[in-house]
Amino acid sequence: MTKPRAFISRRIPRPALEIIASACDYTMWDDLMPAPRDHFLRAAAEADGVLVMPTERIDAEFLAAAPRVRAVANMGVGYDNIDVPALTARGVLVTNTPDVLTEATADLAWALLMAAARRVVEGHKAIEAGAWGAWHPFYMLGQDVFGATIGIVGAGRIGAAIARRARAFNMRILYHNRGRAPQLEAALLAEYRAFDDLLRESDYVVAATPLTAETRGLFDARAFALMKDTAVFVNISRGAVVKEEDLVEALKRGRPWAAASDVFAAEPTPRDNPLLSLPNFVGTPHIGSATLRTRTDMATLAARNLVNALTGQAPLTPVNPEVWPIKLANGSR
Ligand code: DGY
């Protein structure tokens, strides 16, 4: 029996590759950098299913180039890189990798929050520059974290994991979400707030929401103006939920007091991004899920999803389950 054909758009951890190799004829772009778009599209055109990174655009151009593809396994929980309605309309299954990256991403949110609040990067740079002067009562004062109020925008898995960390810091937890999160309220005494109220009341505002039409540009000049002048803003969701130019102006004016972000409007962000020249901004290069175990778990889950989909077994974490079961080009399921 012929095996289904898979294309893997980047080098992936070996355990994940072995899962695909055991069930599919596959090709892989065996590199850490992305394939040129035309190569990617040509390779996808030969495949029944593809395993892709969150940096790959899966859109109308992809669908036109790769009409044989019936399954797209994204190695990421966010899937704003994929035009899901277009793929659903064509009967193409989309899967993502929830759960496995929750704790690692919440850890990074916490690292950024602490770094911005306690001026960790600014302090390191001062030492490096030989600018560490005498100890004095007002040197490098930061913001208290323990016992402060945190406002989490987006109460999904990652938002909830951030809230659990906040609880250990004896913080008052506010959240804003499309729907209420009764579990968060019961287990962590989290309190629901309207968006503007959350911004006004929080010492720490954390963006943990997916990028959607509603959240694009949500954190703009108006939102920053509502924050406290001692507030710290942290973004671990997607760069586009923030109007970056508004954040630059807001940080220059000191409201919020500081910000930290793992994600940027354009990635990689250019060296001359004005945010990077501000002492009250800390950036990391989209490394929320970047631990060896988490990335291996993400790749493995994406591989299992792809193999399941291409061999007639239900995918583990489908984004559009309504298209299941799918029919491959050779007629098999
Ligand atoms: C995701 O999974 O959406 C992350 O942003 C990728 O690291």
Side-chain angles (χ1 to χ4, degrees):
M1 215 178 87
T2 56
K3 288 181 174 176
R5 296 187 212 158
F7 172 62
I8 308 164
S9 73
R10 207 77 59 87
R11 185 179 305 157
I12 56 171
R14 182 145 289 278
L17 187 58
E18 282 167 3
I19 290 169
I20 295 178
S22 70
C24 303
D25 285 331
Y26 75 92
T27 56
M28 175 168 75
W29 177 255
D30 190 7
D31 202 297
L32 300 176
M33 294 296 120
R37 180 78 174 167
D38 60 334
H39 176 96
F40 170 71
L41 293 177
R42 263 186 280 118
E46 303 293 316
D48 298 301
V50 292
L51 189 156
V52 300
M53 308 294 126
T55 46
E56 260 100 42
R57 264 185 306 110
I58 306 298
D59 53 7
E61 182 190 38
F62 172 90
L63 283 174
R68 188 186 166 102
V69 165
R70 285 291 170 273
V72 173
N74 199 40
M75 187 178 147
V77 66
Y79 45 84
D80 45 282
N81 55 317
I82 300 176
D83 185 344
V84 177
L87 270 69
T88 304
R90 293 276 286 269
V92 179
L93 179 79
V94 178
T95 65
N96 68 341
T97 59
D99 296 319
V100 290
L101 48 62
T102 299
E103 300 302 339
T105 308
D107 282 346
L108 188 81
W110 211 257
L112 287 173
L113 184 153
M114 296 289 290
R118 298 305 306 274
R119 304 171 73 164
V120 172
V121 176
E122 202 184 339
H124 179 89
K125 282 185 181 161
I127 298 174
E128 232 176 26
W132 181 4
W135 188 99
H136 70 73
F138 303 101
Y139 185 57
M140 283 253 169
L141 300 186
Q143 304 293 341
D144 284 300
V145 177
F146 193 85
T149 297
I150 190 169
I152 302 169
V153 179
R157 297 175 186 85
I158 295 172
I162 294 168
R164 285 199 303 278
R165 284 156 180 73
R167 197 80 201 106
F169 278 71
N170 200 30
M171 291 171 104
R172 179 163 166 244
I173 302 165
L174 311 179
Y175 76 97
H176 178 76
N177 201 46
R178 262 181 318 182
R180 293 289 279 263
Q183 266 185 316
L184 218 58
E185 296 184 14
L188 301 175
L189 307 179
E191 301 165 40
Y192 177 84
R193 287 289 184 280
F195 183 61
D196 287 2
D197 292 339
L198 178 143
L199 300 180
R200 285 192 196 99
E201 290 181 50
S202 300
D203 300 309
Y204 295 88
V205 176
V206 182
T209 173
L211 175 63
T212 63
E214 291 80 47
T215 62
R216 185 176 290 278
L218 181 65
F219 293 93
D220 58 5
R222 192 196 76 88
F224 295 127
L226 289 175
M227 292 182 189
K228 297 182 183 182
D229 59 7
T230 50
V232 173
F233 172 64
V234 178
N235 183 12
I236 48 96
S237 74
R238 285 290 183 265
V241 305
V242 171
K243 286 203 174 141
E244 244 174 47
E245 62 283 9
D246 290 3
L247 179 58
V248 171
E249 291 313 311
L251 286 171
K252 282 185 186 161
R253 280 200 289 270
R255 186 187 296 268
W257 179 81
S261 189
D262 185 43
V263 284
F264 291 83
E267 295 182 3
T269 202
R271 282 182 74 181
D272 62 358
N273 181 333
L275 281 174
L276 303 176
S277 63
L278 299 176
N280 53 349
F281 178 80
V282 177
T284 47
H286 203 146
I287 54 171
S289 62
T291 71
L292 182 58
R293 192 182 73 184
T294 298
R295 286 284 163 84
T296 304
D297 289 349
M298 289 165 70
T300 303
L301 177 55
R304 288 217 172 94
N305 273 323
L306 186 64
V307 166
N308 275 18
L310 298 183
T311 58
Q313 303 162 69
L316 302 171
T317 51
V319 169
N320 55 352
E322 63 272 28
V323 305
W324 185 256
I326 53 172
K327 231 183 175 50
L328 302 189
N330 67 7
S332 68
R333 281 194 165 171

